[in-house]
């Protein structure tokens, strides 16, 4: 009997081998850790090719000594520094003899089991490419943030990349395993020389070849983020405008590669990703740069966006990145940077003024009438709602005052009912302190700051309330002048005050808001909300926030509407007298807690706490280090 079973043939086949290409330049402190993490993957790794890009710090010597005792390690020394990551990766790729290849940077590591997970997925699915979850590990805190977690939530096989356009968002080359023959057959290589964001172009070339792709939820790569390092990595060093020029060029080339390969949907997805990710990230930081940088950045961005066509703008036209892009295109000079920063936040916030054109169309501003009409059709759960927040720590109790803005009538139509605040620990996102949900009350008409641009009168007519449930009646929206005899109800948080002013404290009501309390009536008269706003006040549990010691907490809010829909938002940190200042609050457990409300790069409210004497000393030491450096 000459027949041979498939199982017998598979048993006689040599196991597939993987090569790991490790590249490094002047990284003696970390390169051997990277190489060891690759060797520790076990027998699946047939070879590790370490390419030293002409280091001057002894890195090559360390690698040579390691190779003397490890036969799977081969060290290649380049005679001249390439200035980038693409050339040494190509050098390593040329030297690989294994059926599969991965790439590893000298300052990162492969977690245990990474190669086995990817190899098993690739072999099992007969895939040319296998990808897994990368986590960004912030050092020295150790905080981990998953990269493009949605792509890697489940085991899946993508027969062709065009079926999963989201793949263009994962521009990393290092969290993937590639069939070596596939790369060579299609001539897929990295851009040579100093070409920042070389992996953006490489991944576009991979997708353009239409490989079969296997995706796994396993952690396969740990990306170390060392922001305090003396020399930042290429992707982290965004201080010069040349970094932005390089990123736009990489995105342009990725688009052209995919379009040239007939992958039109993926090419469109590259442009959409640029608007939603790259543009928003840099806009959040734009206010930190000097005038020369901002002007150069603005000109580069306008030139890049001018290449987009009508179809690019028509897809999801109300998305924050598209609105930002249209504003940049419409203005020849940098403008409205604080407001653009808020819209670039995650979640996005569209802050006042809410202007209208002569025909009533929502527009960006009177000076820049870019249409915001697409917002009218956007679901409430996806609207860029703006909430002002102020936090005033004090011994009698720390209170968080919130003010939700109207947005061209959409908020009033949805009927905001309550808001729940939660604080997420910056270094451990799994730790959350939640406060009890409190009702949102309409602000009285007199609470609107005088002269607020774009404000409009909104009249809410409430119907009868169900028994035992105040504030849940149907709301009808009417625009125009206030009716005679309209009654304003509900307190307004001091967030309604103009920046730089303070108001008088009210008396805490039984519902947690500031003002007087009353009994809900079966029906209410019409309510006029000038500009449209709702307010609430939440108690902040400093004891819970300080229980973990010194740390930073990010504020997130969940707004619930009449029909049960909810929207998670961040809050705009108000500035003004007495706001965003460090305070020492007495504590029964710690003696004292230092509390520092502050605005993040995107303008969101966050909170630092430092309990006890040790916390006070840590703050003092950090401040001294800043003064000395």
């Amino acid at each position: 009997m000459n027949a041979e079973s498939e199982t017998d043939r598979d048993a006689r086949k040599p196991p597939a081998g993987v090569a790991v290409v490790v590249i490094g330049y002047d990284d003696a402190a970390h390169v051997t850790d990277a190489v060891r993490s690759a060797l520790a993957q076990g027998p699946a790794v047939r070879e590790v090719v370490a390419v030293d890009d002409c280091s001057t710090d002894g890195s090559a010597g360390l690698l040579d000594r390691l190779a003397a005792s490890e036969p799977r390690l081969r060290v290649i020394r380049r005679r001249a520094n390439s200035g980038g990551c693409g050339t040494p990766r190509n050098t390593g790729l040329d030297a690989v003899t294994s059926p599969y290849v991965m790439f590893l940077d000298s300052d990162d590591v492969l977690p245990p089991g990474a190669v086995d997970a990817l190899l098993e997925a690739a072999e099992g699915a007969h895939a040319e490419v296998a990808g897994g979850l990368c986590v960004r590990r912030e050092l020295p805190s150790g905080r981990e943030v998953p990269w493009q977690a949605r792509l890697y939530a489940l085991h899946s096989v993508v027969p062709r990349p065009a079926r999963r356009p989201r793949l263009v968002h994962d521009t990393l080359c290092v969290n993937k395993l590639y069939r070596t023959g596939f790369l060579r057959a299609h001539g897929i290589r990295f851009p040579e020389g100093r070409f920042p964001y070389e992996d953006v172009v490489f991944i576009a070339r991979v997708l353009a070849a239409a490989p079969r792709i296997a995706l796994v939820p396993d952690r396969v790569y740990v990306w170390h983020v060392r922001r305090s390092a003396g020399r930042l990595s290429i992707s982290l060093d965004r201080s010069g405008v040349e970094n932005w020029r390089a990123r736009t060029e990489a995105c342009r080339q990725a688009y052209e590669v995919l379009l040239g390969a007939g992958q039109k949907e993926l090419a469109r997805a590259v442009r959409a990703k640029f608007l939603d990710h790259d543009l928003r990230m840099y806009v959040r930081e734009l206010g930190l740069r000097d005038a020369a940088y901002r002007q150069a950045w603005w000109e580069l961005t306008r030139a890049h966006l001018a290449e987009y066509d009508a179809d690019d703008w028509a897809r999801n036209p109300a998305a924050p990145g598209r609105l930002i892009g249209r504003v940049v295109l419409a203005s020849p000079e940098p403008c409205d940077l604080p407001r653009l920063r808020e819209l670039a936040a995650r979640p996005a916030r569209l802050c006042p003024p809410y202007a209208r054109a002569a025909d009533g169309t929502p527009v960006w501003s009177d000076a820049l009438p870019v249409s915001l009409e697409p917002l009218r059709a956007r679901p409430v759960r996806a609207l860029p709602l703006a909430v002002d927040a102020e936090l005033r720590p004090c011994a009698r109790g720390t209170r968080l005052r919130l003010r939700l803005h109207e947005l061209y009538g959409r908020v009033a139509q949805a009927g905001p009912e309550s808001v729940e605040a939660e604080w997420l620990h910056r270094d451990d996102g799994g730790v959350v302190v939640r406060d009890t949900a409190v009702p949102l009350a309409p602000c009285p008409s007199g609470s609107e700051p005088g002269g607020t641009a774009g404000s409009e009168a909104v009249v809410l007519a409430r119907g009868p309330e169900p028994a035992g449930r105040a504030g849940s009646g149907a709301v009808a929206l009417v625009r125009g002048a206030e009716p005679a005899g309209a009654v304003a109800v509900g307190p307004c948080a001091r967030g309604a005050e103009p920046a730089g002013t303070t108001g008088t404290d009210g008396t805490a009501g039984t519902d947690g808001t500031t003002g007087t309390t009353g009994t809900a009536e079966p029906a209410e008269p019409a309510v006029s909300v000038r500009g449209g706003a709702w307010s609430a006040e939440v108690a902040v549990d400093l004891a819970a926030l300080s229980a973990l010691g010194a740390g930073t907490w990010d504020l997130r809010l969940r707004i619930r509407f009449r029909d049960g829909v909810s929207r998670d938002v961040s809050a705009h940190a108000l500035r003004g007298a007495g706001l965003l200042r460090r305070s020492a609050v007495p504590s029964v457990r710690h003696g004292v807690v230092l509390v520092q409300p502050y605005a993040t790069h995107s303008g969101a409210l966050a909170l630092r706490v430092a309990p006890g004497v040790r916390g006070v000393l840590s703050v003092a030491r950090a401040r001294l280090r800043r003064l000395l450096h």
Side-chain angles (χ1 to χ4, degrees):
M1 187 172 177
N2 295 325
E4 183 179 40
S5 71
E6 187 175 334
T7 302
D8 292 335
R9 288 196 302 270
D10 289 344
R12 293 214 311 261
K13 279 196 315 184
V18 176
V20 181
V21 174
V22 184
I23 64 166
Y25 168 68
D26 279 358
D27 197 15
H30 309 113
V31 66
T32 54
D33 289 338
V35 170
R36 287 192 176 97
S37 76
L39 294 169
Q41 296 295 309
V45 173
R46 180 185 296 179
E47 58 183 333
V48 176
V49 179
V51 182
D52 180 75
D53 201 12
C54 198
S55 294
T56 60
D57 68 343
S59 294
L62 292 174
L63 291 171
D64 286 339
R65 286 193 287 275
L66 186 58
S69 60
E70 177 50 71
R72 291 180 296 166
L73 174 60
R74 182 158 37 129
V75 180
I76 299 176
R77 297 193 191 187
R78 287 186 49 79
R79 295 184 178 181
N81 180 258
S82 67
C85 298
T87 297
R89 287 201 187 117
N90 288 336
T91 300
L93 181 58
D94 290 340
V96 163
T97 62
S98 300
Y100 293 93
V101 62
M102 291 182 66
F103 301 99
L104 172 63
D105 291 346
S106 62
D107 53 349
D108 300 330
V109 294
L110 298 179
V115 171
D116 284 339
L118 290 172
L119 182 58
E120 181 181 351
E123 292 278 284
H126 303 287
E128 288 82 18
V129 179
L133 184 66
C134 168
V135 294
R136 290 167 52 107
R137 180 181 291 165
E138 299 274 352
L139 296 176
S141 71
R143 177 196 181 204
E144 291 189 350
V145 179
W147 171 263
Q148 297 298 324
R150 285 172 53 189
L151 273 175
Y152 302 104
L154 301 169
H155 288 272
S156 61
V157 177
V158 184
R160 292 188 304 277
R163 293 192 178 183
R164 191 76 62 86
R166 184 79 189 177
L167 286 166
V168 304
H169 284 251
D170 184 8
T171 54
L172 298 181
C173 70
V174 290
N175 61 330
K176 300 173 181 69
L177 176 82
Y178 310 88
R179 194 182 295 274
T180 310
F182 163 77
L183 296 181
R184 289 174 177 166
H186 292 276
I188 298 172
R189 298 172 67 79
F190 292 88
E192 294 277 351
R194 181 164 182 78
F195 190 103
Y197 306 108
E198 75 293 330
D199 44 358
V200 173
V201 178
F202 177 83
I203 290 301
R205 291 170 177 171
V206 169
L207 297 178
R212 185 177 176 86
I213 302 176
L215 305 176
V216 300
D218 305 71
R219 284 165 40 119
V220 302
Y221 197 88
V222 178
W223 174 4
H224 285 148
V225 180
R226 298 178 172 90
R227 299 187 190 277
S228 59
R231 187 189 69 198
L232 290 174
S233 67
I234 292 174
S235 60
L236 289 179
D237 187 4
R238 299 196 290 268
S239 58
V241 76
E242 288 306 313
N243 177 277
W244 179 240
R245 188 191 306 275
R247 188 180 284 260
T248 56
E249 177 59 26
C251 292
R252 179 182 292 109
Q253 288 196 25
Y255 171 82
E256 292 172 350
V257 165
L258 289 164
L259 194 64
Q263 302 280 3
K264 188 173 182 178
E265 286 301 310
L266 290 178
R268 295 281 187 204
V270 165
R271 285 185 166 177
K273 174 257 178 188
F274 176 85
L275 293 171
D276 184 61
H277 175 71
D278 304 79
L279 183 64
R280 291 174 71 178
M281 176 170 59
Y282 281 72
V283 165
R284 289 195 294 269
E285 301 174 354
L286 197 53
L288 305 175
R289 312 302 184 194
D290 60 29
Y293 176 102
R294 292 196 296 266
Q295 183 64 44
W297 184 94
W298 200 268
E299 292 172 0
L300 283 169
T301 306
R302 295 185 80 226
H304 182 70
L305 295 179
E307 300 172 5
Y308 285 33
D309 59 30
D311 285 344
D312 294 319
W313 298 109
R315 297 185 177 209
N316 198 7
R322 281 169 177 77
L323 297 180
I324 293 169
R326 290 169 58 214
V327 169
V328 172
L329 270 179
S331 175
E333 300 291 333
C335 70
D336 296 339
L337 298 188
R339 197 166 177 231
L340 288 171
R341 178 195 65 180
E342 301 281 340
L343 187 56
R346 294 188 184 277
R349 302 182 295 271
L350 180 58
C351 294
Y354 303 123
R356 292 180 182 271
D359 62 359
T361 301
V363 294
W364 176 257
S365 68
D366 293 333
L368 204 65
V370 174
S371 174
L372 302 182
E373 183 67 22
L375 288 176
R376 287 180 167 177
R378 196 165 178 83
V380 171
R381 63 180 178 274
L383 282 175
L385 301 181
V387 179
D388 292 337
E390 62 172 74
L391 189 146
R392 292 181 183 269
C394 66
R396 293 174 298 170
T398 299
R399 312 293 290 182
L400 175 66
R401 294 177 174 129
L402 305 170
R403 182 173 186 264
L404 167 66
H405 291 278
E406 179 57 273
L407 188 61
Y408 297 113
R410 297 299 311 286
V411 179
Q413 287 173 339
E417 290 192 333
S418 66
V419 60
E420 178 184 356
E422 62 180 23
W423 298 91
L424 287 71
H425 196 278
R426 178 73 58 81
D427 294 330
D428 186 352
V431 178
V432 180
V433 173
R434 290 186 176 87
D435 295 313
T436 304
V438 298
L440 282 161
C443 292
S445 59
S447 65
E448 186 71 20
T452 300
S455 63
E456 58 183 333
V458 179
V459 181
L460 307 180
R462 294 189 180 273
E465 304 287 355
R469 185 182 181 191
S472 61
V475 179
L477 176 68
V478 183
R479 291 190 181 85
E482 297 181 30
V487 179
V489 301
C492 184
R494 274 172 31 199
E497 298 161 14
T501 64
T502 57
T504 56
D505 287 317
T507 304
T510 58
D511 62 353
T513 59
T514 304
T516 57
T517 61
T519 304
E521 300 293 336
E524 295 178 1
V527 179
S528 172
V529 183
R530 184 174 304 281
W534 294 260
S535 68
E537 186 170 300
V538 182
V540 179
D541 189 350
L542 278 186
L545 296 179
S546 58
L548 294 181
T552 300
W553 298 82
D554 292 305
L555 174 64
R556 290 292 183 271
L557 305 172
R558 177 163 297 141
I559 300 171
R560 299 190 184 278
F561 296 90
R562 185 175 53 252
D563 60 0
V565 171
S566 64
R567 169 64 166 145
D568 291 344
V569 300
S570 55
H572 164 69
L574 284 178
R575 302 174 185 273
L579 298 176
L580 305 185
R581 284 195 318 195
R582 183 181 294 120
S583 302
V585 179
S587 167
V588 174
R589 178 178 178 182
H590 302 288
V592 66
V593 176
L594 286 186
V595 182
Q596 170 72 71
Y598 74 99
T600 66
H601 283 174
S602 68
L605 180 68
L607 185 64
R608 297 188 185 99
V609 296
V613 175
R614 181 177 297 179
V616 172
L617 291 176
S618 69
V619 171
R621 283 194 295 268
R623 188 168 186 180
L624 180 61
R625 282 195 299 270
R626 288 195 297 271
L627 290 173
L628 293 177
H629 293 85

